[in-house]
Amino acid sequence: NAGVMQNPRHLVRRRGQEARLRCSPMKGHSHVYWYRQLPEEGLKFMVYLQKENIIDESGMPKERFSAEFPKEGPSILRIQQVVRGDSAAYFCASSPPFGGGGSNQPQHFGDGTRLSIL
Amino acid sequence: QQPVQSPQAVILREGEDAVINCSSSKALYSVHWYRQKHGEAPVFLMILLKGGEQKGHDKISASFNEKKQQSSLYLTASQLSYSGTYFCGTGSGSRLTFGEGTQLTVNP
């Protein structure tokens, strides 16, 4: 499967635990974006990363949330000390390295991780 | 600032046409259109980068009016498979800002 791979598809955590969401971009893509979607709502931008660099994290909550895209391996979205309000679908998208990335390239989405907080 | 999509929802019979609008209060540099079916990933439809640009494939096309800061998605001779929620995403620099979506239902 050459598409964007996210895992796990479903994640259940208790309040106060940590959640780690993983995203492997499409082959040849070096730009990764994370979005959050609440039921019946649109996608909310969280962060835009390139390998080893955070380009734009203006949509990330100031506390408990962090993201990385290491030189090797998938991008990780980490949520510490989860609360009920973190329950949502988290989507990762990727785009190719040419054209400068960002909003000038099509973004291809993974199937998402549905996070539920008990 | 989030773009505004209209209508919020539309119900069609197979074979009918629909137009979905997306407008922004900010200058637009790019407009993306995606379709999402319930419980699935958003699927890229098309991107428009220049004012006045029009694109299309199959029976789905879109236009981008840079001056009016709006884009429209045109679905002609709708098929059952067109059902889903359509999102426009407006580009500014590195980020996309998505509208709240238009729910399209195509009935036989």
Side-chain angles (χ1 to χ4, degrees):
Chain A
N1 187 344
V4 178
M5 302 298 293
Q6 287 189 250
N7 67 80
R9 287 294 305 276
H10 300 274
L11 182 61
V12 180
R13 285 286 176 265
R14 295 190 179 280
R15 281 177 295 171
Q17 291 184 321
E18 179 179 287
R20 280 187 179 233
L21 288 61
R22 284 175 287 278
C23 169
S24 296
M26 280 181 76
K27 191 173 181 181
H29 286 192
S30 57
H31 298 224
V32 165
Y33 315 82
W34 285 94
Y35 294 88
R36 173 173 152 149
Q37 187 176 39
L38 294 170
E40 311 305 323
E41 292 190 11
L43 297 140
K44 299 288 190 276
F45 169 82
M46 297 181 76
V47 62
Y48 164 35
L49 309 107
Q50 295 177 21
K51 285 281 186 183
E52 299 184 281
N53 281 311
I54 296 174
I55 308 301
D56 182 348
E57 57 181 347
S58 56
M60 288 278 270
K62 294 281 184 277
E63 296 176 351
R64 302 188 298 109
F65 285 72
S66 62
E68 62 175 5
F69 189 14
K71 191 176 177 183
E72 301 289 339
S75 175
I76 307 283
L77 179 68
R78 183 180 176 208
I79 311 173
Q80 294 178 287
Q81 298 176 305
V82 297
V83 300
R84 287 247 170 89
D86 296 333
S87 295
Y90 292 84
F91 287 96
C92 166
S94 72
S95 68
F98 48 83
S103 60
N104 289 337
Q105 290 292 327
Q107 295 182 15
H108 298 273
F109 283 79
D111 286 334
T113 293
R114 274 113 187 117
L115 176 65
S116 299
I117 309 301
L118 301 179
Chain B
Q1 209 140 5
Q2 189 175 34
V4 176
Q5 288 187 233
S6 63
Q8 285 186 305
V10 59
I11 299 174
L12 302 173
R13 286 205 178 276
E14 206 173 357
E16 291 181 336
D17 301 341
V19 180
I20 299 171
N21 299 303
C22 173
S23 62
S24 174
S25 57
K26 287 174 61 173
L28 297 181
Y29 299 99
S30 65
V31 178
H32 300 222
W33 286 96
Y34 292 81
R35 176 173 60 215
Q36 185 179 30
K37 293 185 184 282
H38 187 69
E40 297 182 10
V43 173
F44 172 76
L45 295 176
M46 61 190 80
I47 181 174
L48 301 107
L49 295 175
K50 297 176 192 172
E53 185 174 25
Q54 295 192 33
K55 274 191 178 179
H57 69 93
D58 201 8
K59 297 189 174 91
I60 300 176
S61 61
S63 63
F64 178 19
N65 187 324
E66 197 175 12
K67 276 189 178 178
K68 290 185 179 178
Q69 296 173 182
Q70 62 183 213
S71 175
S72 296
L73 186 72
Y74 307 92
L75 302 104
T76 57
S78 59
Q79 305 168 18
L80 296 176
S81 62
Y82 287 4
S83 291
T85 302
Y86 289 77
F87 292 100
C88 70
T90 54
S92 177
S94 60
R95 62 184 291 172
L96 272 183
T97 304
F98 285 91
E100 288 295 317
T102 295
Q103 194 170 344
L104 181 79
T105 305
V106 181
N107 291 321

